[in-house]
Amino acid sequence: MKVSIVYHSETGNTKKVGEIIAKGVKKVEDTEVQCMSIEEVDKEYIEDSDVVIFGTPTYAGSYSWQMKKWLDTCKLKFAGKIGSVFATENYLGGGADNAELAIISELLVKGMFVFSVGSSKGQPYTHFGPVCIKDGTEEQKERAEIFGQRVAKSAKELMNR
Ligand SMILES: Cc1cc2nc3c(=O)[nH]c(=O)nc-3n(C[C@H](O)[C@H](O)[C@H](O)COP(=O)(O)O)c2cc1C
């Protein structure tokens, strides 16, 4: 099963968190993952992926305009794939939850099956998606890695891969 992680990152935090999530995905057998910036996406790989995980920095309490522009203009077909999200922010309560929900609404409109793991696997719960302050405390990084592993495992079961 292929998993794409697509992020926007100006100063590297969101990129680093994406790479941590990829580490978790790789722990699931027969799963491959590619982590890519919106500036350099492998469109074929994304089209072949069952899961696309989107990462964004928080900008003014929502997701970045660069990510929004990319999602609105990339012309990729996301319908029928599983979509998950993660975000970084500078301050606790800085709006990362809202950034995630805003991306989620776009994924729903694109026809994706949105999955956050939530409380389905016990602790640590991910509410809308993992959130890291800058590139994450040790605990936040661990949560991000567990999230990647859980999304991939559940997607594999669901997609019969
Ligand atoms: C234009 C702009 C707006 C931002 N707005 C917020 C915000 O509302 N809340 C917050 O906590 N951080 C905010 N930040 C900080 C970024 O979300 C944070 O540094 C993020 O980790 C940057 O990700 P990157 O290194 O992947 O670019 C903002 C940064 C920029 C450049």
Side-chain angles (χ1 to χ4, degrees), residues 8-14 57-61 88-91 94 134:
H8 165 235
S9 187
E10 291 293 319
T11 55
N13 295 335
T14 315
T58 303
Y59 280 6
T88 65
E89 63 184 356
N90 269 1
Y91 310 102
K134 298 184 179 160

Side-chain angles (χ1 to χ4, degrees), residues 7-15 37-39 55-57 59 64-67 88:
Y7 59 82
H8 165 235
S9 187
E10 291 293 319
T11 55
N13 295 335
T14 315
K15 177 177 196 263
S37 158
I38 53 167
E39 281 151 18
T56 183
Y59 280 6
S64 71
W65 62 267
Q66 291 92 333
M67 193 66 185
T88 65

Side-chain angles (χ1 to χ4, degrees), residues 29-47:
E29 219 177 296
D30 300 326
T31 299
E32 57 174 273
V33 58
Q34 204 168 299
C35 217
M36 47 197 127
S37 158
I38 53 167
E39 281 151 18
E40 212 178 343
V41 289
D42 181 340
K43 288 196 171 185
E44 211 179 299
Y45 192 92
I46 295 175
E47 307 248 55

Side-chain angles (χ1 to χ4, degrees), residues 1 50 154-161:
M1 183 183 71
D50 287 313
S154 297
K156 234 182 125 201
E157 285 162 11
L158 194 69
M159 300 283 193
N160 284 321
R161 298 292 186 205

Side-chain angles (χ1 to χ4, degrees), residues 5 29 34 44 73 76-77 84 89 96-97 116 132 143:
I5 299 177
E29 219 177 296
Q34 204 168 299
E44 211 179 299
T73 58
L76 283 161
K77 286 200 179 69
S84 300
E89 63 184 356
D97 278 3
S116 78
C132 286
R143 283 168 171 262

